[in-house]
Amino acid sequence: MKKHDFVYLTEDASHDAAIEIINEEAFGPGRFTRAAARIREQGPHDRSLSFICADNGETIASVRMTPISAGSVKGHLLGPLAVRPSHKNRGIGRELVRIAVEAARRKGSEAVILVGDPPYYQPLGFEKVRHSALEFPGPVDPARVLVVPIAPDVHARLEGVIAWRDDGATSGAGSAARPEAHGAAA
């Protein structure tokens, strides 16, 4: 059996092509029509909070974080999260989510929000957002809008429009940054 050497790194521009392939495999061309994609089109993601997993030097998974305002909450939108089919069901996605949420917490984010499957994300600390509390720039199933509340009053303030916000940290999204290594996990 082949030994895998998973390494988690902060995303940089050298990962862009591999991330595009991974997202195409996972979500297909329809990914651009989703409400969360409409938010991500408004401005760049924050590379300092976006991560990849590499196996023996090959990028095999990624997660991105985009700064958003959701009602009066200043948080981050998690996604897309994608793992190559050859590496699914090994805990890689869960570890990427854990790393990204912790990085957002350290950076002072008030919440991490996503549109995803509750059975997958709730064990990772995500909670359902009140039905139709947030207005997305496109249709979204309200039962799939989830949040990790970091500030104590997040649920009460998640009311209104969700949109990209300029937090000043995303200016490096188009430039290469030195990758930061994170502990390996299988």
PDB file of all heavy atoms in Angstrom, residues 42 51 60 68 82 105 135 161:
ATOM      1  N   GLN A  42     -17.526  38.963  -6.331  1.00  0.00           N
ATOM      2  CA  GLN A  42     -17.527  40.376  -5.944  1.00  0.00           C
ATOM      3  C   GLN A  42     -16.144  40.873  -5.546  1.00  0.00           C
ATOM      4  O   GLN A  42     -15.889  42.082  -5.550  1.00  0.00           O
ATOM      5  CB  GLN A  42     -18.525  40.603  -4.808  1.00  0.00           C
ATOM      6  CG  GLN A  42     -19.957  40.323  -5.201  1.00  0.00           C
ATOM      7  CD  GLN A  42     -20.907  40.309  -4.012  1.00  0.00           C
ATOM      8  OE1 GLN A  42     -20.548  40.710  -2.896  1.00  0.00           O
ATOM      9  NE2 GLN A  42     -22.119  39.846  -4.236  1.00  0.00           N
ATOM     10  N   PHE A  51      -6.235  27.379   2.140  1.00  0.00           N
ATOM     11  CA  PHE A  51      -5.236  26.334   2.341  1.00  0.00           C
ATOM     12  C   PHE A  51      -5.364  25.226   1.298  1.00  0.00           C
ATOM     13  O   PHE A  51      -6.432  25.016   0.723  1.00  0.00           O
ATOM     14  CB  PHE A  51      -5.380  25.740   3.744  1.00  0.00           C
ATOM     15  CG  PHE A  51      -5.198  26.770   4.815  1.00  0.00           C
ATOM     16  CD1 PHE A  51      -6.285  27.468   5.312  1.00  0.00           C
ATOM     17  CD2 PHE A  51      -3.939  27.079   5.296  1.00  0.00           C
ATOM     18  CE1 PHE A  51      -6.126  28.456   6.279  1.00  0.00           C
ATOM     19  CE2 PHE A  51      -3.761  28.064   6.263  1.00  0.00           C
ATOM     20  CZ  PHE A  51      -4.861  28.751   6.752  1.00  0.00           C
ATOM     21  N   ILE A  60      -3.781  18.215  -3.862  1.00  0.00           N
ATOM     22  CA  ILE A  60      -4.891  17.275  -4.018  1.00  0.00           C
ATOM     23  C   ILE A  60      -6.186  17.765  -3.351  1.00  0.00           C
ATOM     24  O   ILE A  60      -7.217  17.101  -3.464  1.00  0.00           O
ATOM     25  CB  ILE A  60      -4.515  15.865  -3.498  1.00  0.00           C
ATOM     26  CG1 ILE A  60      -3.926  15.886  -2.074  1.00  0.00           C
ATOM     27  CG2 ILE A  60      -3.500  15.223  -4.438  1.00  0.00           C
ATOM     28  CD1 ILE A  60      -4.914  15.688  -1.016  1.00  0.00           C
ATOM     29  N   ILE A  68     -16.522  38.461   4.083  1.00  0.00           N
ATOM     30  CA  ILE A  68     -17.909  38.853   3.797  1.00  0.00           C
ATOM     31  C   ILE A  68     -18.480  39.650   4.962  1.00  0.00           C
ATOM     32  O   ILE A  68     -17.983  39.604   6.080  1.00  0.00           O
ATOM     33  CB  ILE A  68     -18.815  37.620   3.534  1.00  0.00           C
ATOM     34  CG1 ILE A  68     -18.689  36.548   4.631  1.00  0.00           C
ATOM     35  CG2 ILE A  68     -18.501  36.996   2.201  1.00  0.00           C
ATOM     36  CD1 ILE A  68     -19.767  36.603   5.644  1.00  0.00           C
ATOM     37  N   ALA A  82     -12.789  21.336  -1.758  1.00  0.00           N
ATOM     38  CA  ALA A  82     -12.797  20.217  -2.702  1.00  0.00           C
ATOM     39  C   ALA A  82     -11.555  19.351  -2.514  1.00  0.00           C
ATOM     40  O   ALA A  82     -10.465  19.860  -2.226  1.00  0.00           O
ATOM     41  CB  ALA A  82     -12.863  20.728  -4.129  1.00  0.00           C
ATOM     42  N   ARG A 105     -10.498  32.466  13.119  1.00  0.00           N
ATOM     43  CA  ARG A 105     -10.662  32.820  14.543  1.00  0.00           C
ATOM     44  C   ARG A 105      -9.471  33.669  15.001  1.00  0.00           C
ATOM     45  O   ARG A 105      -9.646  34.715  15.629  1.00  0.00           O
ATOM     46  CB  ARG A 105     -10.774  31.537  15.363  1.00  0.00           C
ATOM     47  CG  ARG A 105     -11.057  31.725  16.842  1.00  0.00           C
ATOM     48  CD  ARG A 105     -11.074  30.409  17.625  1.00  0.00           C
ATOM     49  NE  ARG A 105     -11.804  29.333  17.000  1.00  0.00           N
ATOM     50  CZ  ARG A 105     -13.123  29.128  17.092  1.00  0.00           C
ATOM     51  NH1 ARG A 105     -13.865  29.952  17.799  1.00  0.00           N
ATOM     52  NH2 ARG A 105     -13.679  28.081  16.513  1.00  0.00           N
ATOM     53  N   GLU A 135     -29.803  37.209   2.933  1.00  0.00           N
ATOM     54  CA  GLU A 135     -30.197  37.386   1.534  1.00  0.00           C
ATOM     55  C   GLU A 135     -28.969  37.183   0.649  1.00  0.00           C
ATOM     56  O   GLU A 135     -28.041  37.981   0.674  1.00  0.00           O
ATOM     57  CB  GLU A 135     -30.750  38.789   1.320  1.00  0.00           C
ATOM     58  CG  GLU A 135     -31.990  39.091   2.130  1.00  0.00           C
ATOM     59  CD  GLU A 135     -32.351  40.570   2.065  1.00  0.00           C
ATOM     60  OE1 GLU A 135     -32.098  41.206   1.023  1.00  0.00           O
ATOM     61  OE2 GLU A 135     -32.860  41.076   3.083  1.00  0.00           O
ATOM     62  N   VAL A 161     -28.360  41.213   4.089  1.00  0.00           N
ATOM     63  CA  VAL A 161     -27.595  40.864   2.892  1.00  0.00           C
ATOM     64  C   VAL A 161     -26.247  40.256   3.268  1.00  0.00           C
ATOM     65  O   VAL A 161     -25.595  40.706   4.208  1.00  0.00           O
ATOM     66  CB  VAL A 161     -27.389  42.121   2.013  1.00  0.00           C
ATOM     67  CG1 VAL A 161     -26.456  41.842   0.849  1.00  0.00           C
ATOM     68  CG2 VAL A 161     -28.726  42.646   1.531  1.00  0.00           C
TER      69      VAL A 161
END
